[in-house]
Amino acid sequence: MTSVLGPLALATSTGALLIVPLAPALRELISKRDAGPLVTRKDDGNISSFAASLRTRCISLHRMLDDCAKFGDNQLIDLSHGSAFVVGQSGAWAGSHHPVALVACAGSVELPAGFQSIADFYCRGNVRCGQQSIFRSLLSEEEIALGNDTQVLRWVHAESSLSAGRNCRLYGRASSAKLLTLSPGCSFERIYAPVIYSSTEGTALNLRTEYAPYARLAQSGIGRTRVHGAMHFPADEEHRGDAVATRNIDLEQGACIFGSMKANGDISLKERAEVHGSLVSTKRIHISSGCFVKGPIIAEREVIIDSGVQVGLPGTPTTVSAPLIHLAPGSVLHGTAWAKTEGRVGD
Amino acid sequence: MLLGLFTAVVALICIYTIRHYCFTVNRIIGQQRHPYVDVDTAEWPPVTVLIAAHNEEAVVGDILTALLEVDYPAEKLAIVPVNDRSVDRTREIIDSFVVHYPGRITPFHRTGGRAGKAAALKDAMAYVNTEIMLVFDADYVPGKALIRQLVAPFFDPEVGSVMGRVVPLNVGKKLLTRILDLERSGGYQVDQQARMNLHFVPQYGGTVAGIRKSALDEIGGWNENTLAEDTDLTYRMLLAGWKTVYENRAECYEEVPERWPVRVRQIMRWAKGHNQAMVGYSALLLRSRNVSWWERFDGLLLLGVYMMAPVLLLGWLLAMVLFYLGAPVGGGLAVLGLAAFTTLGNFAAFFEIAAAARLDGSRARIQLLPLTFLGFTVSAISVSRAAWQQFTSWIRGQEMVWHKTERSRVAPVVLEKSA
């Protein structure tokens, strides 16, 4: 009997020792606690999706907003996700100092300097705020004018124009369905509007509204030039087709490319140069005054855009993407600028 | 001589081990490259989506439904299901979609010709009138933003092909699917993205992928004479000076094999196709002036990746022989050495998977890591067998046969529930 138990005990204990390290694996295999497919990206990437979400949350408040506006009354109400302050008074702010989750304004409001809101702020009219204000998130169905040194911590969206005073800091998303104007000293991360001016000087630019018909050739199938080393395009030279260089690319004054460009190094566009395609660099892109770029601008380090530059076209918006984006006052962008680290409008 | 051969085997294992570690460390602490992911506003180009479908009645409806709902201008999106000689209800299902969505789908019913995905895609090129085309296998379920994510890199004129990330859908079905889920995670989240980060050679994977037509024309179109048209295309693009980029956030669900025999056939086909590319392109890669030294180095290692399984088995055999022959440095040391390197090598791959699971935010599934050894063992034996079959076929002058991966899906996909 003893002769059987001994080996049996040894085999059992050895088996148990082997199983112990596998126990968590076997437990997970049987219980399937984490056996679903990985959740993939669901959002459509629309910059105004947060604004749309807040707008949806405010739908239930519209009747109350109408009533408050009718009587010029303000009310503090409880909602399922926290209290909300409903503002019926238009004009100068006479708001609550209670901590609330949502502020909803029926009409236009003027907020005093130093105004701070950690609530989601929704307004059916215009929003005009004084300097050094702080918002968590802000949505207006009309215009927004942010005073100097104002900070938006998460997102801001205006259905009409959005203007940011000097030295505003726009963290997260800032967008407008029509026009966005950034004053000198403003910083941003992700911005979008059909037209973005870096300071009001940009409004004086003589904008292109349609590119030459033959530039449509640049869209496809016109060949590619690939060069080992740097590429240099002389002043006022015209080049048709895509261009790829294993090092830097330089365009002299007035050079015009009907195609896209890629440099495995820096790209430099001197004054009045034009690219009727995209610009892609593994390092830096510098676009000098008076230049025009129609397609996306993608740099893995930095994009510097001088004054008097136009990026994209009305009705044909595009993207500027880089960790660092520097915009000089007096330029215009159509579309998106997405700075992973920081975007800034120069003084 | 045996000792020299053994040393070479150990050296190769060391190189691949270091490679695994470098990729993993890069993904954890290195600078990440996603240069095209933020391009969300642009004048989007016209695109043709090719869906490779050979007897895909179980899945083809799902992908057509998903593609009809993607966030891309409908007038710029041509959907072309490539029904490759199907004998099931694939044709009927595709035609019913064509009727229900007039003008949105242009079917290509291929009734004859050579077998294989590359051959079918080659014939389907007559239906491609756009500069950019995307390729999906029929068992994939693209998300709404996927088309734009895959198209965005083509604004870079150096990019010839784009690869998105494959995410298994039927994870919880079997032990095999759970192992494959972890392997895929390591392969994409760490391996592919690290190669993208380091400017190495991300691999075009043949599905959830995009191709620039002018680049494809320049390299001579699809190669019908290969079992892995994806690897073949990756290297021909590279040699011609076109880049393949990997978009880690362009994710798409796929169905992974649920039965071991299906998995074995799948990986044997991959191994044979990959080895074909190794034979065909290694020397060209060494001589090419269109690639950087790092691309050359990584490209060669990638070409040899399926040969490592037979090399490993050879190493074991040599270690045993050296042990019994009493090799000068000590046969025991040889066995111990190989065991140590093998273990390290395996741990390097495990380390990759563990890092990938962490990056994915997965929690409990990482506990299955020890069981991936089973997957590695099956793969090592299958891949070695494939290499042997390939060698004997070459000796006999036999042509290799393409095998389609069988599907297990029986009901339409409902992602909300599964996620």
Side-chain angles (χ1 to χ4, degrees), chain A residues 22 24-25 28-29 32-41 44-45 190 219 224 226 228 242 244 262 264 278 280 294 296 298 300 316-319 321 336 338 340, chain B residues 33 35 38-43 148-149 155-158 165 167-169 171-172 175 178 240-242 251 253 289-290 360 362-365 367-368 370 418-419:
Chain A
L22 293 175
E28 171 55 23
L29 186 65
K32 295 186 177 178
R33 288 175 301 156
D34 189 13
L38 283 177
V39 178
T40 58
R41 187 177 162 180
D44 59 2
R190 184 185 176 190
Q219 287 185 338
R224 182 182 82 144
R226 187 172 188 273
H228 286 272
D242 296 337
V244 177
K262 163 72 177 286
N264 289 284
S278 53
V280 186
K294 182 178 169 288
I298 303 162
E300 294 191 33
T316 313
T318 192
T319 299
S321 168
T336 297
W338 196 326
K340 291 183 188 77
Chain B
R33 281 185 75 223
D38 294 337
V39 179
D40 65 352
T41 310
E43 187 179 21
R148 278 191 298 161
Q149 289 164 350
F155 287 112
D156 180 344
E158 195 175 28
R165 181 179 174 185
V167 178
L169 181 62
V171 181
L175 169 63
R178 302 211 66 180
W242 293 95
E251 299 151 323
Y253 287 116
R289 292 186 68 245
N290 281 331
D360 278 333
S362 303
R363 294 284 178 263
R365 74 184 64 191
Q367 293 170 358
L368 293 170
S418 54

Coordinates of all heavy atoms in Angstrom, one line a residue, chain A residues 22 24-25 28-29 32-41 44-45 190 219 224 226 228 242 244 262 264 278 280 294 296 298 300 316-319 321 336 338 340, chain B residues 33 35 38-43 148-149 155-158 165 167-169 171-172 175 178 240-242 251 253 289-290 360 362-365 367-368 370 418-419:
Chain A
L22 N 0.0 28.1 -13.8 CA -0.9 28.2 -14.9 C -2.3 28.5 -14.3 O -3.3 28.7 -15.1 CB -1.0 26.9 -15.7 CG 0.2 26.6 -16.5 CD1 0.0 25.2 -17.2 CD2 0.5 27.6 -17.6
P24 N -3.8 31.2 -12.9 CA -4.5 32.4 -13.4 C -4.9 32.3 -14.8 O -6.0 32.7 -15.2 CB -3.4 33.5 -13.2 CG -2.4 32.9 -12.2 CD -2.4 31.5 -12.4
A25 N -4.1 31.6 -15.6 CA -4.4 31.4 -17.1 C -5.7 30.5 -17.2 O -6.6 30.9 -18.0 CB -3.3 30.8 -17.8
E28 N -8.8 32.4 -16.1 CA -9.3 33.4 -17.1 C -9.9 32.6 -18.3 O -10.9 33.1 -18.9 CB -8.1 34.3 -17.6 CG -8.4 35.2 -18.7 CD -9.6 36.1 -18.6 OE1 -10.0 36.3 -17.5 OE2 -10.2 36.4 -19.6
L29 N -9.3 31.5 -18.7 CA -9.8 30.7 -19.8 C -11.2 30.2 -19.5 O -12.0 30.3 -20.4 CB -8.8 29.5 -20.1 CG -9.1 28.7 -21.3 CD1 -8.9 29.6 -22.6 CD2 -8.3 27.5 -21.3
K32 N -13.6 33.6 -18.6 CA -13.8 34.6 -19.7 C -14.1 36.0 -19.2 O -15.1 36.6 -19.6 CB -14.8 34.1 -20.7 CG -14.5 32.8 -21.3 CD -15.5 32.5 -22.4 CE -15.1 31.2 -23.1 NZ -16.1 30.8 -24.1
R33 N -13.4 36.5 -18.2 CA -13.6 37.8 -17.7 C -13.3 38.9 -18.7 O -13.8 40.0 -18.7 CB -12.9 38.0 -16.4 CG -13.5 37.2 -15.2 CD -12.6 37.4 -14.0 NE -11.2 37.0 -14.3 CZ -10.1 37.4 -13.6 NH1 -10.3 38.2 -12.6 NH2 -8.9 36.9 -13.9
D34 N -12.3 38.6 -19.5 CA -11.8 39.7 -20.4 C -11.7 39.0 -21.8 O -10.6 39.0 -22.4 CB -10.4 40.2 -19.9 CG -9.9 41.4 -20.7 OD1 -10.7 42.0 -21.4 OD2 -8.7 41.7 -20.6
A35 N -12.8 38.5 -22.3 CA -12.8 37.7 -23.5 C -13.5 38.4 -24.7 O -13.7 37.8 -25.7 CB -13.4 36.4 -23.3
G36 N -13.8 39.7 -24.5 CA -14.5 40.4 -25.6 C -13.5 41.0 -26.5 O -12.3 41.1 -26.2
P37 N -13.9 41.3 -27.8 CA -12.9 42.0 -28.7 C -12.5 43.4 -28.1 O -13.3 44.0 -27.4 CB -13.7 42.1 -30.0 CG -15.1 41.9 -29.6 CD -15.2 41.1 -28.3
L38 N -11.3 43.8 -28.4 CA -10.9 45.1 -28.0 C -11.9 46.1 -28.5 O -12.3 46.0 -29.7 CB -9.5 45.4 -28.6 CG -8.3 44.7 -27.9 CD1 -7.1 45.1 -28.6 CD2 -8.2 45.1 -26.4
V39 N -12.1 47.1 -27.7 CA -13.0 48.2 -28.2 C -12.2 49.1 -29.1 O -11.2 49.7 -28.7 CB -13.6 48.9 -27.0 CG1 -14.5 50.1 -27.4 CG2 -14.4 48.0 -26.1
T40 N -12.6 49.2 -30.3 CA -11.9 50.0 -31.2 C -12.5 51.4 -31.2 O -13.6 51.7 -30.6 CB -12.0 49.5 -32.7 OG1 -13.4 49.4 -33.0 CG2 -11.4 48.1 -32.8
R41 N -11.8 52.3 -31.9 CA -12.3 53.7 -32.0 C -13.7 53.8 -32.6 O -13.9 53.4 -33.6 CB -11.3 54.5 -32.8 CG -11.5 56.0 -32.8 CD -10.4 56.6 -33.6 NE -10.8 58.0 -34.0 CZ -10.0 58.8 -34.7 NH1 -8.9 58.4 -35.1 NH2 -10.5 60.0 -35.0
D44 N -16.4 59.6 -34.7 CA -16.2 59.9 -36.1 C -15.1 60.9 -36.3 O -14.8 61.4 -37.4 CB -17.5 60.3 -36.8 CG -18.0 61.6 -36.1 OD1 -17.4 62.1 -35.2 OD2 -19.1 62.0 -36.6
G45 N -14.5 61.4 -35.2 CA -13.4 62.3 -35.3 C -13.8 63.8 -35.4 O -13.0 64.7 -35.6
R190 N -6.2 71.9 -30.8 CA -6.9 71.5 -32.1 C -7.9 72.6 -32.4 O -8.8 72.8 -31.6 CB -7.5 70.1 -31.8 CG -8.2 69.6 -33.1 CD -8.9 68.3 -32.7 NE -9.6 67.8 -33.9 CZ -10.5 66.8 -33.9 NH1 -10.8 66.1 -32.7 NH2 -11.1 66.4 -35.0
Q219 N -4.0 66.4 -58.6 CA -4.7 65.4 -57.7 C -4.3 64.0 -57.9 O -4.3 63.2 -57.0 CB -6.2 65.6 -57.9 CG -6.8 66.9 -57.2 CD -8.3 66.9 -57.3 OE1 -8.9 66.3 -58.1 NE2 -8.8 67.7 -56.4
R224 N 5.8 61.0 -60.3 CA 6.5 61.4 -59.1 C 8.0 61.4 -59.4 O 8.6 60.6 -60.1 CB 6.3 60.3 -58.1 CG 6.9 60.5 -56.7 CD 6.6 59.3 -55.8 NE 7.5 58.2 -56.0 CZ 8.0 57.4 -55.1 NH1 7.7 57.6 -53.8 NH2 8.8 56.4 -55.4
R226 N 11.6 61.3 -57.5 CA 12.2 60.9 -56.3 C 13.7 61.1 -56.4 O 14.4 60.6 -57.3 CB 11.9 59.4 -55.9 CG 12.4 59.0 -54.5 CD 11.9 57.6 -54.2 NE 12.2 57.3 -52.8 CZ 13.3 56.7 -52.4 NH1 14.3 56.5 -53.2 NH2 13.5 56.5 -51.1
H228 N 17.6 61.2 -54.4 CA 18.4 60.9 -53.3 C 19.2 62.2 -52.9 O 19.9 62.7 -53.7 CB 19.5 59.8 -53.7 CG 18.8 58.5 -53.8 ND1 18.7 57.6 -52.7 CD2 18.3 57.8 -54.8 CE1 18.1 56.5 -53.1 NE2 17.9 56.6 -54.3
D242 N 4.4 65.0 -58.3 CA 4.8 64.9 -56.9 C 6.4 64.9 -56.8 O 7.0 64.4 -57.7 CB 4.3 63.6 -56.3 CG 2.8 63.6 -56.2 OD1 2.2 64.7 -56.2 OD2 2.2 62.5 -56.2
V244 N 9.6 63.9 -54.1 CA 10.1 63.2 -52.9 C 11.6 63.3 -52.8 O 12.3 63.0 -53.8 CB 9.6 61.7 -52.8 CG1 10.2 61.0 -51.6 CG2 8.1 61.6 -52.9
K262 N 7.3 65.7 -50.4 CA 7.7 65.0 -49.2 C 9.2 65.1 -49.0 O 9.9 64.8 -49.9 CB 7.3 63.5 -49.3 CG 8.0 62.6 -48.2 CD 7.5 62.8 -46.8 CE 8.1 61.8 -45.8 NZ 7.6 60.5 -45.9
N264 N 12.3 64.0 -46.4 CA 12.8 63.3 -45.2 C 13.9 64.2 -44.6 O 15.0 63.8 -44.4 CB 13.4 61.9 -45.6 CG 12.3 60.9 -46.0 OD1 11.6 60.4 -45.2 ND2 12.2 60.7 -47.4
S278 N -0.1 68.5 -51.2 CA 0.2 68.5 -49.8 C 1.7 68.6 -49.5 O 2.6 68.5 -50.4 CB -0.2 67.1 -49.2 OG 0.3 66.1 -49.9
V280 N 4.7 67.3 -46.8 CA 4.9 66.3 -45.7 C 6.4 66.4 -45.4 O 7.2 66.2 -46.3 CB 4.5 64.9 -46.1 CG1 4.6 64.0 -44.9 CG2 3.0 64.9 -46.6
K294 N -2.2 74.3 -50.8 CA -3.6 73.9 -51.0 C -4.0 72.7 -50.1 O -5.1 72.6 -49.5 CB -3.9 73.5 -52.4 CG -5.4 73.1 -52.6 CD -5.7 72.8 -54.1 CE -7.0 72.2 -54.2 NZ -7.1 70.8 -53.7
P296 N -3.0 69.2 -47.3 CA -2.6 69.0 -45.9 C -1.1 69.3 -45.7 O -0.3 69.1 -46.6 CB -2.9 67.5 -45.6 CG -3.9 67.1 -46.6 CD -3.6 67.9 -47.8
I298 N 1.8 68.4 -43.1 CA 2.1 67.4 -42.1 C 3.6 67.4 -41.8 O 4.4 67.2 -42.6 CB 1.7 66.0 -42.5 CG1 0.2 65.9 -42.9 CG2 2.0 65.0 -41.4 CD1 -0.1 64.7 -43.7
E300 N 6.5 66.2 -38.7 CA 6.7 65.4 -37.5 C 7.3 66.2 -36.4 O 7.4 65.7 -35.2 CB 7.5 64.1 -37.8 CG 6.7 63.2 -38.8 CD 7.3 61.8 -38.9 OE1 7.9 61.3 -38.0 OE2 7.2 61.3 -40.1
T316 N -12.7 74.2 -49.7 CA -11.8 73.0 -49.8 C -10.9 73.1 -48.5 O -9.7 73.4 -48.7 CB -11.0 73.1 -51.1 OG1 -11.8 73.4 -52.1 CG2 -10.3 71.8 -51.3
P317 N -11.4 72.8 -47.4 CA -10.6 72.9 -46.2 C -9.5 71.8 -46.1 O -9.7 70.8 -46.8 CB -11.6 72.7 -45.0 CG -12.7 71.9 -45.6 CD -12.8 72.3 -47.1
T318 N -8.5 72.1 -45.3 CA -7.4 71.1 -45.2 C -6.9 71.0 -43.8 O -7.5 71.6 -42.9 CB -6.3 71.4 -46.2 OG1 -5.4 70.3 -46.3 CG2 -5.6 72.7 -45.8
T319 N -5.8 70.3 -43.5 CA -5.3 70.1 -42.2 C -3.9 70.5 -42.1 O -3.1 70.2 -43.0 CB -5.4 68.6 -41.8 OG1 -6.8 68.2 -41.8 CG2 -4.9 68.4 -40.4
S321 N -0.9 69.7 -39.4 CA -0.7 68.8 -38.3 C 0.8 68.7 -38.0 O 1.6 68.4 -38.8 CB -1.2 67.4 -38.6 OG -0.8 66.5 -37.6
T336 N -8.5 72.6 -40.5 CA -8.1 72.2 -39.1 C -6.6 72.5 -38.9 O -5.8 72.3 -39.8 CB -8.3 70.7 -39.0 OG1 -9.7 70.4 -39.1 CG2 -7.8 70.2 -37.7
W338 N -3.9 71.1 -36.0 CA -3.9 70.2 -34.9 C -2.4 70.2 -34.4 O -1.6 69.6 -35.0 CB -4.4 68.8 -35.3 CG -4.7 67.9 -34.2 CD1 -4.1 67.9 -33.0 CD2 -5.7 66.9 -34.2 NE1 -4.7 66.9 -32.2 CE2 -5.7 66.4 -32.9 CE3 -6.7 66.5 -35.1 CZ2 -6.6 65.3 -32.5 CZ3 -7.5 65.5 -34.7 CH2 -7.5 64.9 -33.4
K340 N -0.1 68.8 -31.6 CA -0.1 67.7 -30.6 C 0.5 68.3 -29.3 O 0.1 67.9 -28.2 CB 0.7 66.5 -31.0 CG 0.0 65.8 -32.1 CD 0.9 64.5 -32.5 CE 0.4 63.8 -33.7 NZ 0.7 64.5 -35.0
Chain B
R33 N 5.3 57.4 -33.5 CA 5.0 58.1 -34.8 C 3.6 57.8 -35.3 O 3.3 56.7 -35.6 CB 6.0 57.7 -35.9 CG 7.4 58.3 -35.8 CD 8.2 57.9 -37.0 NE 7.7 58.6 -38.2 CZ 7.6 58.0 -39.4 NH1 7.8 56.7 -39.5 NH2 7.2 58.7 -40.5
P35 N 2.1 60.1 -37.8 CA 2.1 61.4 -38.5 C 0.8 61.7 -39.2 O 0.5 62.9 -39.5 CB 3.2 61.3 -39.5 CG 3.5 59.9 -39.6 CD 3.1 59.2 -38.3
D38 N -3.9 62.7 -37.5 CA -4.7 63.9 -37.3 C -5.2 64.6 -38.5 O -5.9 65.6 -38.4 CB -3.8 65.0 -36.5 CG -3.4 64.5 -35.2 OD1 -4.1 63.6 -34.6 OD2 -2.3 65.0 -34.6
V39 N -5.0 64.0 -39.6 CA -5.5 64.5 -40.9 C -7.0 64.2 -41.0 O -7.4 63.1 -41.4 CB -4.8 64.0 -42.1 CG1 -5.4 64.6 -43.4 CG2 -3.3 64.3 -42.0
D40 N -7.8 65.1 -40.5 CA -9.3 64.8 -40.5 C -10.1 65.7 -41.4 O -11.3 65.5 -41.5 CB -9.8 64.8 -39.0 CG -9.8 66.2 -38.4 OD1 -9.1 67.1 -39.0 OD2 -10.3 66.4 -37.3
T41 N -9.4 66.7 -41.9 CA -10.1 67.6 -42.8 C -9.3 67.7 -44.1 O -8.1 68.0 -44.0 CB -10.2 69.0 -42.2 OG1 -10.7 68.9 -40.9 CG2 -11.1 69.9 -43.1
A42 N -9.8 67.4 -45.2 CA -9.1 67.4 -46.5 C -10.0 67.3 -47.6 O -11.2 66.9 -47.5 CB -8.0 66.3 -46.5
E43 N -9.5 67.5 -48.8 CA -10.3 67.2 -50.0 C -10.0 65.7 -50.3 O -9.0 65.3 -50.9 CB -9.8 68.1 -51.2 CG -10.6 67.9 -52.4 CD -10.1 68.8 -53.5 OE1 -9.0 69.2 -53.5 OE2 -10.9 69.1 -54.5
R148 N -11.3 56.9 -44.1 CA -10.5 58.1 -44.0 C -9.1 57.9 -43.3 O -8.1 58.5 -43.8 CB -11.3 59.2 -43.2 CG -12.3 59.9 -44.1 CD -12.8 61.2 -43.4 NE -13.5 60.8 -42.2 CZ -13.8 61.6 -41.2 NH1 -13.4 62.9 -41.2 NH2 -14.4 61.2 -40.1
Q149 N -9.1 57.1 -42.3 CA -7.9 56.8 -41.6 C -6.9 56.1 -42.5 O -5.7 56.3 -42.5 CB -8.1 55.9 -40.4 CG -8.8 56.7 -39.3 CD -9.4 55.8 -38.2 OE1 -9.5 54.6 -38.4 NE2 -9.9 56.4 -37.1
F155 N -1.8 61.2 -48.7 CA -1.4 62.6 -49.0 C 0.1 62.8 -49.0 O 0.6 63.8 -49.5 CB -2.1 63.6 -47.9 CG -3.5 63.8 -48.1 CD1 -4.4 63.3 -47.2 CD2 -4.0 64.4 -49.2 CE1 -5.8 63.4 -47.3 CE2 -5.4 64.6 -49.4 CZ -6.3 64.1 -48.5
D156 N 0.8 61.8 -48.4 CA 2.2 61.8 -48.5 C 2.6 61.1 -49.8 O 2.3 59.9 -50.0 CB 2.8 61.0 -47.3 CG 4.3 60.8 -47.3 OD1 4.9 61.1 -48.3 OD2 4.8 60.5 -46.2
P157 N 3.3 61.8 -50.7 CA 3.6 61.2 -52.0 C 4.6 60.1 -52.0 O 4.9 59.4 -53.0 CB 4.1 62.4 -52.8 CG 4.6 63.3 -51.8 CD 3.8 63.2 -50.6
E158 N 5.2 59.9 -50.8 CA 6.2 58.8 -50.7 C 5.5 57.4 -50.3 O 6.1 56.4 -50.4 CB 7.3 59.1 -49.7 CG 8.5 58.2 -49.7 CD 9.6 58.7 -48.8 OE1 9.3 59.3 -47.7 OE2 10.8 58.4 -49.1
R165 N -4.7 48.2 -38.5 CA -4.6 47.2 -37.4 C -5.7 46.3 -37.4 O -6.9 46.7 -37.5 CB -4.5 47.9 -36.1 CG -4.3 46.9 -35.0 CD -4.2 47.5 -33.6 NE -4.2 46.4 -32.6 CZ -4.2 46.5 -31.3 NH1 -4.2 47.6 -30.8 NH2 -4.2 45.4 -30.6
V167 N -8.0 43.6 -35.5 CA -8.4 43.2 -34.2 C -9.4 42.0 -34.2 O -10.4 42.1 -34.9 CB -9.1 44.4 -33.5 CG1 -9.6 44.1 -32.1 CG2 -8.2 45.7 -33.5
P168 N -9.0 40.9 -33.6 CA -9.9 39.8 -33.6 C -11.3 40.1 -33.0 O -11.4 40.7 -32.0 CB -9.2 38.7 -32.8 CG -7.8 39.1 -32.9 CD -7.8 40.6 -32.9
L169 N -12.3 39.5 -33.7 CA -13.7 39.8 -33.2 C -14.2 38.6 -32.4 O -14.9 38.8 -31.4 CB -14.6 39.9 -34.5 CG -16.0 40.2 -34.3 CD1 -16.2 41.5 -33.6 CD2 -16.7 40.2 -35.6
V171 N -13.0 36.6 -30.2 CA -11.9 36.3 -29.2 C -12.3 35.2 -28.2 O -11.6 34.3 -28.0 CB -11.6 37.6 -28.4 CG1 -10.5 37.4 -27.4 CG2 -11.2 38.8 -29.3
G172 N -13.5 35.3 -27.7 CA -13.9 34.5 -26.5 C -14.3 33.1 -26.9 O -14.7 32.3 -26.0
L175 N -9.9 28.4 -27.0 CA -8.5 28.7 -26.5 C -7.7 29.3 -27.7 O -6.9 30.2 -27.5 CB -7.9 27.4 -26.0 CG -6.4 27.4 -25.7 CD1 -6.1 28.4 -24.6 CD2 -5.9 26.1 -25.3
R178 N -8.3 32.9 -28.3 CA -7.8 33.8 -27.3 C -6.3 33.9 -27.5 O -5.7 35.0 -27.2 CB -8.1 33.2 -25.9 CG -9.6 33.1 -25.7 CD -10.1 33.3 -24.3 NE -9.8 34.6 -23.9 CZ -10.1 35.1 -22.6 NH1 -10.7 34.3 -21.8 NH2 -9.8 36.3 -22.3
A240 N 11.3 49.7 -54.8 CA 11.0 50.7 -55.8 C 11.0 52.1 -55.2 O 10.7 53.1 -55.9 CB 9.7 50.5 -56.6
G241 N 11.3 52.2 -53.9 CA 11.3 53.5 -53.3 C 10.0 54.0 -52.7 O 9.8 55.2 -52.5
W242 N 9.1 53.1 -52.6 CA 7.8 53.5 -52.0 C 7.7 53.0 -50.5 O 8.2 51.9 -50.2 CB 6.6 52.9 -52.7 CG 6.4 53.4 -54.1 CD1 6.9 52.8 -55.3 CD2 5.7 54.6 -54.5 NE1 6.5 53.6 -56.4 CE2 5.8 54.7 -55.9 CE3 5.0 55.5 -53.8 CZ2 5.2 55.7 -56.6 CZ3 4.4 56.6 -54.5 CH2 4.5 56.6 -55.9
E251 N -8.3 50.8 -36.9 CA -8.5 49.4 -36.5 C -9.7 48.8 -37.2 O -10.7 49.5 -37.5 CB -8.8 49.4 -35.0 CG -7.7 50.0 -34.1 CD -8.2 50.6 -32.9 OE1 -9.2 51.3 -32.9 OE2 -7.5 50.5 -31.8
Y253 N -12.1 45.0 -37.3 CA -12.4 43.6 -36.7 C -12.2 42.6 -37.8 O -12.6 42.8 -38.9 CB -13.8 43.6 -36.1 CG -13.9 44.3 -34.8 CD1 -14.8 45.4 -34.7 CD2 -13.2 43.9 -33.7 CE1 -14.9 46.1 -33.6 CE2 -13.4 44.6 -32.5 CZ -14.2 45.7 -32.4 OH -14.4 46.4 -31.3
R289 N 19.6 50.6 -53.8 CA 20.0 52.0 -53.3 C 18.8 52.8 -52.9 O 19.0 53.9 -52.4 CB 20.7 52.7 -54.5 CG 22.0 52.1 -54.9 CD 22.8 52.9 -55.9 NE 23.2 54.2 -55.4 CZ 22.7 55.3 -55.9 NH1 21.8 55.4 -56.8 NH2 23.2 56.5 -55.4
N290 N 17.6 52.2 -53.0 CA 16.4 53.0 -52.6 C 16.1 52.8 -51.1 O 15.1 53.4 -50.7 CB 15.2 52.5 -53.4 CG 15.2 53.1 -54.8 OD1 15.7 54.2 -55.0 ND2 14.7 52.4 -55.8
D360 N -2.9 48.2 -24.8 CA -4.4 48.1 -25.2 C -5.3 48.3 -24.0 O -6.5 48.3 -24.2 CB -4.7 46.7 -25.8 CG -4.3 46.7 -27.3 OD1 -4.2 47.7 -27.9 OD2 -3.9 45.6 -27.8
S362 N -5.8 46.1 -21.8 CA -6.4 44.8 -21.4 C -6.0 44.5 -20.0 O -4.9 44.8 -19.6 CB -6.0 43.7 -22.3 OG -6.3 44.1 -23.7
R363 N -6.8 43.8 -19.3 CA -6.5 43.4 -17.9 C -6.3 41.9 -17.8 O -5.2 41.4 -17.8 CB -7.6 44.0 -17.0 CG -7.6 45.5 -16.9 CD -6.5 46.0 -16.1 NE -6.5 47.5 -16.1 CZ -5.8 48.3 -16.9 NH1 -5.0 47.7 -17.8 NH2 -5.8 49.6 -16.8
A364 N -7.4 41.2 -17.7 CA -7.4 39.8 -17.3 C -6.8 39.0 -18.4 O -6.2 37.9 -18.1 CB -8.8 39.3 -17.0
R365 N -6.9 39.4 -19.7 CA -6.5 38.5 -20.7 C -5.0 38.3 -20.7 O -4.5 37.3 -21.2 CB -6.9 39.0 -22.1 CG -6.2 40.2 -22.7 CD -6.9 40.6 -24.0 NE -8.3 41.0 -23.7 CZ -9.1 41.2 -24.7 NH1 -8.8 41.1 -25.9 NH2 -10.4 41.7 -24.4
Q367 N -3.4 37.3 -18.4 CA -3.1 36.1 -17.6 C -3.0 34.8 -18.5 O -2.5 33.8 -18.0 CB -4.2 35.9 -16.5 CG -4.2 37.0 -15.5 CD -5.4 36.9 -14.6 OE1 -6.3 36.1 -14.8 NE2 -5.5 37.8 -13.6
L368 N -3.4 34.9 -19.7 CA -3.4 33.8 -20.6 C -2.0 33.6 -21.2 O -1.7 32.7 -22.0 CB -4.4 33.9 -21.7 CG -5.9 33.8 -21.3 CD1 -6.7 34.2 -22.5 CD2 -6.2 32.4 -20.9
P370 N 1.0 32.5 -20.4 CA 1.7 31.2 -20.5 C 1.1 30.2 -21.5 O 1.8 29.4 -22.1 CB 1.5 30.6 -19.1 CG 1.1 31.8 -18.2 CD 0.4 32.7 -19.1
S418 N -20.8 42.6 -28.5 CA -19.5 42.0 -28.3 C -18.5 42.9 -27.6 O -17.6 42.4 -26.8 CB -18.9 41.5 -29.6 OG -18.8 42.5 -30.5
A419 N -18.6 44.2 -27.9 CA -17.6 45.1 -27.2 C -18.0 45.4 -25.8 O -17.2 45.8 -25.0 CB -17.5 46.4 -28.0

